[in-house]
Amino acid sequence: MNLSAAPRRSVIFLALTAIVVGAGCGHRPDATHLEARRLDDWRQTQLAAFDKVWQTIHDRHYDPTFGGLDWNAVRAELRPKVERAETDAEVEAVLNDLVHRLKLSHFGILAPGTQSPAARTEGQDVFVPSLARDVPADKVKFGNLPELPLRATYQRLPNDNVGYFYLSIFLDPPKVMPTYHKAIDDARSADGLIIDLRQNPGGVGIMAIGIGNSLVDKPDLKLGTMIQREGELKFVLNPQAEPYTKPVAILIDDHTGSTAEIFAQGMQDIGRARVFGQRSAGQALPSFIEKLPNGYLFQYAVANYVSTNGKTLEGNGVTPDEIVENPKPDDQNDPVVAAAVKWIKSQAEQNQ
């Protein structure tokens, strides 16, 4: 089954770990100024949020055994804590305890005013390759997520006949795909193409198929399979009329997650790309993000991902074909890019 046949809601593969900004979540409704009914309404709203999180996981978790966890017992233990809660912070702690019992990525509670790691600003500890640093980041919006920075850029590497495409996040196809297709067209006259997904936390899953479609010349290849409670959904690639057939190198690191991992592992499995860098994050569960009655955001996984070669990425990550030690670059030297260029040139020499 092709991903295009999926439900109308877009599946997002985005590793989000909550970083509370200006928390202020310890505010207690002042009982001396609020009517008892208003305080009760606040508690009912918090209970509704708890019930929605518990019930959604109960109904939609891809594993009906919840990894051996007694999900009913967890509800019985934690719901009374919400009934006794007197602050937003207490409720938030219970909700996070609830989802963290599963011990999986892509289950999380994001408080109002929260940023995801994907939304980190330039002043924070986030790596942008020097080759892409001069490109301004666009702010993009997806569903209930806060605005996220997006960079999609292409160039021929200085002094090398190698194309270099950088993508910071799999979002906003109308903005990203034209840049990518221009990259493919230009790289046809190069020795090969580098796709840099370092620090890419994932995004919209179908974009991995769109990017992969331009790189294969055979039908019935796939990037992997989503295993849901109701069945399976395969990431089938559809060869284009004029596919790109030259060598492809994919760059990853320990912050490459989700859709980016699925793309890298899938292309590695079918032998279409060589992967360079460090082992990826191992956070590759398809998920949705919904708003709770109390205003918090709730991310939950709806499927597991298994690669074409049968590898489960969750908790394992993608292992590069060529691991690059001490990979952090400076403005003059990027050892991961250098390793990819060396391999591409060796392939070009073999094909002469």
Side-chain angles (χ1 to χ4, degrees):
M1 181 178 181
N2 194 300
L3 188 63
S4 62
R8 284 176 293 178
R9 283 186 295 178
S10 294
V11 176
I12 185 168
F13 303 72
L14 183 60
L16 297 177
T17 304
I19 302 175
V20 178
V21 178
C25 291
H27 174 68
R28 173 179 179 176
D30 189 345
T32 63
H33 294 89
L34 293 177
E35 298 175 359
R37 182 173 178 180
R38 187 173 177 186
L39 182 58
D40 182 64
D41 287 345
W42 175 83
R43 285 207 174 98
Q44 290 305 313
T45 299
Q46 306 309 318
L47 286 168
F50 178 92
D51 290 342
K52 181 174 177 61
V53 172
W54 184 89
Q55 193 67 49
T56 299
I57 294 173
H58 178 273
D59 295 342
R60 304 204 63 188
H61 195 294
Y62 60 87
D63 177 6
T65 72
F66 311 102
L69 188 65
D70 187 335
W71 197 235
N72 289 313
V74 172
R75 181 181 188 274
E77 175 191 348
L78 296 182
R79 195 176 191 276
K81 293 184 178 182
V82 178
E83 294 173 342
R84 296 190 298 268
E86 297 183 346
T87 69
D88 293 343
E90 289 178 277
V91 175
E92 183 181 348
V94 176
L95 291 175
N96 275 301
D97 188 4
L98 176 64
V99 297
H100 291 160
R101 295 291 179 96
L102 295 167
K103 299 180 180 180
L104 294 169
S105 72
H106 291 74
F107 285 91
I109 304 297
L110 289 80
T114 295
Q115 282 189 323
S116 73
R120 289 175 296 185
T121 62
E122 293 302 322
Q124 293 177 302
D125 184 21
V126 58
F127 161 67
V128 177
S130 59
L131 291 166
R133 205 170 294 153
D134 292 337
V135 178
D138 293 316
K139 298 294 184 181
V140 297
K141 194 79 172 64
F142 183 84
N144 290 311
L145 291 172
E147 283 191 334
L148 301 168
L150 167 66
R151 282 185 175 89
T153 183
Y154 172 79
Q155 62 177 286
R156 287 283 184 108
L157 291 181
N159 306 317
D160 290 300
N161 189 33
V162 174
Y164 173 86
F165 175 73
Y166 172 77
L167 181 62
S168 65
I169 193 167
F170 282 81
L171 289 180
D172 201 349
K175 190 181 297 291
V176 170
M177 297 311 292
T179 301
Y180 174 68
H181 289 308
K182 288 178 181 177
I184 291 293
D185 289 341
D186 180 82
R188 293 184 193 282
S189 59
D191 291 331
L193 175 66
I194 293 173
I195 299 176
D196 192 343
L197 301 179
R198 288 175 290 179
Q199 299 278 311
N200 186 315
V204 179
I206 198 170
M207 288 183 66
I209 295 177
I211 290 176
N213 285 342
S214 299
L215 304 175
V216 297
D217 57 4
K218 298 176 182 177
D220 301 323
L221 296 174
K222 65 179 186 291
L223 296 179
T225 302
M226 283 169 51
I227 300 176
Q228 307 169 90
R229 191 180 292 194
E230 309 83 30
E232 296 183 350
L233 189 62
K234 300 183 187 300
F235 285 69
V236 178
L237 298 175
N238 299 301
Q240 303 301 290
E242 297 182 20
Y244 184 78
T245 58
K246 291 188 174 180
V248 176
I250 298 174
L251 313 187
I252 64 173
D253 64 9
D254 57 353
H255 283 81
T256 301
S258 218
T259 296
E261 292 183 278
I262 289 171
F263 177 75
Q265 184 69 59
M267 298 303 288
Q268 184 186 60
D269 276 5
I270 63 175
R272 184 59 191 95
R274 187 170 178 83
V275 180
F276 296 80
Q278 293 179 303
R279 184 188 297 270
S280 64
Q283 299 180 351
L285 301 180
S287 65
F288 293 124
I289 296 176
E290 295 184 1
K291 193 171 185 178
L292 297 175
N294 62 356
Y296 283 60
L297 297 181
F298 167 42
Q299 183 180 20
Y300 59 95
V302 294
N304 194 10
Y305 166 81
V306 178
S307 78
T308 297
N309 285 349
K311 182 177 181 180
T312 300
L313 289 185
E314 180 69 12
N316 297 310
V318 181
T319 301
D321 296 291
E322 191 168 326
I323 295 175
V324 180
E325 301 295 343
N326 302 315
K328 192 169 184 179
D330 54 38
D331 289 340
Q332 284 74 44
N333 181 45
D334 190 327
V336 184
V337 171
V341 168
K342 181 179 179 180
W343 173 74
I344 287 173
K345 287 189 167 296
S346 72
Q347 298 300 297
E349 290 173 1
Q350 292 179 16
N351 293 329
Q352 286 181 348

